[in-house]
Amino acid sequence: MPEEEILFKTTDKQIDESKQGAVYQPESSKASNENGKRFYIESYGCQMNFADSEVVASILQENGFSAAANYDTADLILINTCAIRENAEQRVRNRLRQFNRVKREKPEMLVGVLGCMAERLKSKFLEQEKLVDIVVGPDAYRDLPKLVEEADAGQKAVNVLLSREETYSEINPVRLNSNGVSAFVSITRGCDNMCSFCVVPFTRGRERSRDPQSIVKEATELFERGFKEITLLGQNVDSYLWYGGGAKKDFDKQTQDVKDAAVHFADLLEMVAKISPKLRVRFSTSNPRDMVDDVLHMIAKYDNICNYIHLPVQSGNSNVLERMNRGHNREWYLDLVGRIRKIIPDCGLSTDIITGFCDETEEEHQDTLSLMKEVGYDMAYTFFYSERPGTMAERKFEDNIPLATKKRRLQEVIDIQKINSEQSNIRELGKTFEVLIEGVSKKSDQELYGRNTKNQVIVFPREDYQKGDYVMVKVETCTSATLIGKVIKA
């Protein structure tokens, strides 16, 4: 997903722990193993990459592969890549070198790269560095079984062609590393926004929306299997628009039949929310330029659509936003925040912020700090600018802010957000929230954790409650990152 997507931060510790199951094994190992081969997938980057890995797992299982818990027992190792920042690429290279050390002892094993790095670095991976046997772009996963056959025959197997139609809509993803409570459902692929810093439009192609009835079907099946929360995923969910294969159709909200008009994101939210009041609905990510009040009113209308919006701003200065080609300015963004606060009074808000973008002055940076104080985000994902090859920013601007300055500005952003997050949690003291239990606390097996509608993590005593239960929790204390409370029994 683009820079504005919520990013999973894969640490070196998590990589080291991959053999303990931190990296991905399907929820079910009952699939047939017709060809006797086992696959192993690691994913880096955004939620969309993780969702794509679930699609890949489904395609492989349908073609007779089964999952391996450890990469050194696999016949096929796949790494699903992120191209958002340079350090992600270096991490992938280091990981591929580890895989190749195993491959020297097991030469029949195949190593493949999937996703956003595939197209841009295919020649380096295949020919110069000789790190992989297979390279597959985000729109070519259906070809993976054929590419494996080609690689088995000694050929370098590549398909990085982008598609204007592919959405994998009829594929039922295998849920990887699932907690059995929450799941991702992709609703769009690609991106048309062309933010100047972002490489995603070049690695994932043009934006296209998925058939809404296939989305509702997937979400319904997840709920029937016991999942209690889904997150609708897209590079920019607010620009979701479906006409039914190019012809304008209409949508009957009562029967959920498509008839004579377009389905917009607000319509899709309602379709999914109506599956069951016990199915929580989240979404990510919103682009401020495309968010409309219809979406806000739909969130307010349905209790099971969570009161939480990830609304990336990237910078608080209008001139920087113009250089970023974000399509909004400071005043417009603050007006949108005001409408959110009015329509959804207790809505959780998070954002993404980049420091040290091309030509950013100290005064422009101060505008970002002042906007953060004015909005008071509950959470922020913060980065210093990393120039990516092929982007508009690389072609038009000079990456001229010293690294030390980028990092200093980033630290100032982090310092303000720590205060914002702490104040946000303090405001929740004494309040009672419905919490969906996601699992056992990492710090104590005597505690459970879950999230409220605002996406805030709440920890409370375990007692006899189970993962997937809804409980009412009164907040008694907090840290800067976590709410702590106790269950209020009816």
Side-chain angles (χ1 to χ4, degrees):
M1 300 180 112
E3 192 86 43
E4 61 263 29
E5 183 47 62
I6 298 178
L7 297 179
F8 289 92
K9 296 176 182 176
T10 306
T11 65
D12 293 338
K13 185 174 186 291
Q14 286 173 310
I15 291 173
D16 291 340
E17 290 175 345
S18 63
K19 292 186 179 181
Q20 282 75 51
V23 185
Y24 311 113
Q25 185 176 11
E27 57 181 332
S28 171
S29 58
K30 296 179 181 179
S32 64
N33 187 14
E34 295 173 2
N35 63 22
K37 291 186 177 180
R38 296 167 64 81
F39 71 92
Y40 172 90
I41 305 177
E42 284 188 4
S43 295
Y44 294 79
C46 66
Q47 291 172 333
M48 186 64 80
N49 274 15
F50 285 71
D52 275 4
S53 290
E54 295 179 339
V55 169
V56 169
S58 178
I59 291 170
L60 289 173
Q61 286 200 346
E62 286 296 317
N63 284 270
F65 289 79
S66 63
N70 305 315
Y71 68 82
D72 49 7
T73 64
D75 303 286
L76 171 65
I77 298 176
L78 299 171
I79 185 164
N80 199 347
T81 60
C82 173
I84 292 293
R85 271 169 291 280
E86 184 177 356
N87 63 352
E89 292 189 2
Q90 190 55 49
R91 184 183 296 132
V92 166
R93 276 195 172 86
N94 291 339
R95 194 62 168 148
L96 288 172
R97 293 187 183 103
Q98 292 181 36
F99 295 154
N100 272 267
R101 285 195 288 271
V102 176
K103 186 176 173 64
R104 284 196 289 269
E105 302 296 323
K106 190 179 178 182
E108 71 279 8
M109 185 176 74
L110 300 176
V111 177
V113 165
L114 312 175
C116 293
M117 288 171 61
E119 193 281 332
R120 193 171 68 78
L121 297 175
K122 61 182 182 294
S123 60
K124 287 187 177 181
F125 283 155
L126 283 168
E127 298 161 12
Q128 297 176 27
E129 302 177 41
K130 301 186 185 302
L131 291 173
V132 300
D133 307 290
I134 303 169
V135 177
V136 188
D139 293 342
Y141 297 143
R142 294 180 194 272
D143 263 2
L144 192 51
K146 178 173 71 70
L147 295 170
V148 169
E149 291 180 4
E150 292 176 4
D152 270 335
Q155 304 175 52
K156 293 297 184 182
V158 183
N159 187 344
V160 294
L161 295 176
L162 294 175
S163 168
R164 288 178 177 266
E165 290 82 32
E166 181 61 83
T167 63
Y168 301 109
S169 62
E170 80 284 7
I171 291 176
N172 186 21
V174 173
R175 302 299 160 178
L176 299 172
N177 203 31
S178 171
N179 63 5
V181 176
S182 305
F184 301 136
V185 176
S186 296
I187 67 170
T188 69
R189 297 186 71 82
C191 186
D192 288 345
N193 286 331
M194 299 302 293
C195 299
S196 66
F197 55 78
C198 186
V199 73
V200 167
F202 307 103
T203 60
R204 286 189 171 269
R206 299 298 300 272
E207 182 177 293
R208 60 272 189 200
S209 297
R210 179 179 164 188
D211 177 347
Q213 292 177 320
S214 74
I215 295 169
V216 171
K217 180 175 182 290
E218 182 178 340
T220 301
E221 290 174 351
L222 285 166
F223 180 68
E224 291 172 348
R225 289 166 54 196
F227 286 83
K228 298 292 183 67
E229 178 181 276
I230 63 165
T231 300
L232 303 177
L233 286 183
Q235 314 297 147
N236 175 15
V237 292
D238 292 279
S239 61
Y240 177 90
L241 179 62
W242 189 80
Y243 284 121
K248 283 193 176 183
K249 300 286 181 181
D250 215 353
F251 171 64
D252 185 326
K253 294 179 182 178
Q254 299 302 315
T255 64
Q256 308 227 359
D257 288 335
V258 178
K259 296 187 175 178
D260 298 325
V263 178
H264 295 268
F265 183 54
D267 301 317
L268 180 66
L269 273 177
E270 184 167 38
M271 293 171 70
V272 177
K274 289 171 70 173
I275 291 170
S276 170
K278 289 298 183 181
L279 177 65
R280 273 189 175 178
V281 183
R282 300 187 185 274
F283 56 88
S284 184
T285 290
S286 292
N287 190 307
R289 70 196 291 180
D290 294 310
M291 175 162 275
V292 296
D293 287 1
D294 284 353
V295 170
L296 305 181
H297 287 296
M298 200 62 70
I299 296 171
K301 179 178 178 180
Y302 288 91
D303 290 340
N304 60 327
I305 303 178
C306 291
N307 291 353
Y308 169 72
I309 298 173
H310 185 67
L311 194 68
V313 67
Q314 307 300 1
S315 171
N317 178 269
S318 294
N319 291 330
V320 175
L321 291 170
E322 184 175 1
R323 294 197 294 275
M324 288 179 167
N325 197 36
R326 287 289 290 164
H328 64 86
N329 59 26
R330 177 190 176 99
E331 291 71 28
W332 195 94
Y333 183 92
L334 288 173
D335 181 71
L336 174 58
V337 170
R339 298 202 309 276
I340 292 171
R341 302 289 194 205
K342 181 179 179 180
I343 297 170
I344 316 167
D346 198 28
C347 187
L349 273 182
S350 63
T351 196
D352 287 355
I353 291 173
I354 300 172
T355 64
F357 187 68
C358 309
D359 296 329
E360 183 187 61
T361 66
E362 199 61 38
E363 291 74 19
E364 290 169 340
H365 168 63
Q366 289 299 319
D367 281 348
T368 296
L369 302 184
S370 68
L371 182 138
M372 292 181 69
K373 293 175 182 177
E374 183 170 350
V375 175
Y377 296 106
D378 300 286
M379 181 171 55
Y381 297 83
T382 60
F383 319 94
F384 62 78
Y385 176 61
S386 172
E387 183 178 82
R388 307 311 297 136
T391 59
M392 186 192 309
E394 185 207 27
R395 297 193 302 271
K396 290 184 62 175
F397 306 120
E398 181 183 355
D399 183 10
N400 54 3
I401 307 301
L403 180 59
T405 302
K406 291 180 181 179
K407 290 184 175 181
R408 188 260 301 167
R409 292 176 182 174
L410 176 61
Q411 188 58 53
E412 292 174 1
V413 164
I414 291 171
D415 291 343
I416 287 178
Q417 186 52 46
K418 284 181 179 178
I419 295 171
N420 283 347
S421 296
E422 184 174 17
Q423 291 176 341
S424 172
N425 281 351
I426 289 172
R427 287 194 294 270
E428 311 298 8
L429 295 177
K431 296 181 182 179
T432 299
F433 295 99
E434 183 180 63
V435 174
L436 174 59
I437 301 175
E438 297 183 24
V440 178
S441 169
K442 293 179 180 179
K443 292 187 176 180
S444 170
D445 61 6
Q446 296 305 304
E447 294 179 325
L448 298 173
Y449 79 94
R451 287 176 296 159
N452 62 14
T453 186
K454 298 170 64 175
N455 206 37
Q456 295 167 308
V457 175
I458 304 183
V459 174
F460 51 92
R462 184 169 188 166
E463 300 183 44
D464 58 350
Y465 302 107
Q466 303 295 322
K467 182 170 65 174
D469 288 346
Y470 285 103
V471 291
M472 301 302 295
V473 180
K474 183 176 182 179
V475 179
E476 297 181 321
T477 186
C478 67
T479 68
S480 61
T482 306
L483 302 175
I484 302 167
K486 66 177 181 181
V487 174
I488 304 298
K489 299 181 180 179

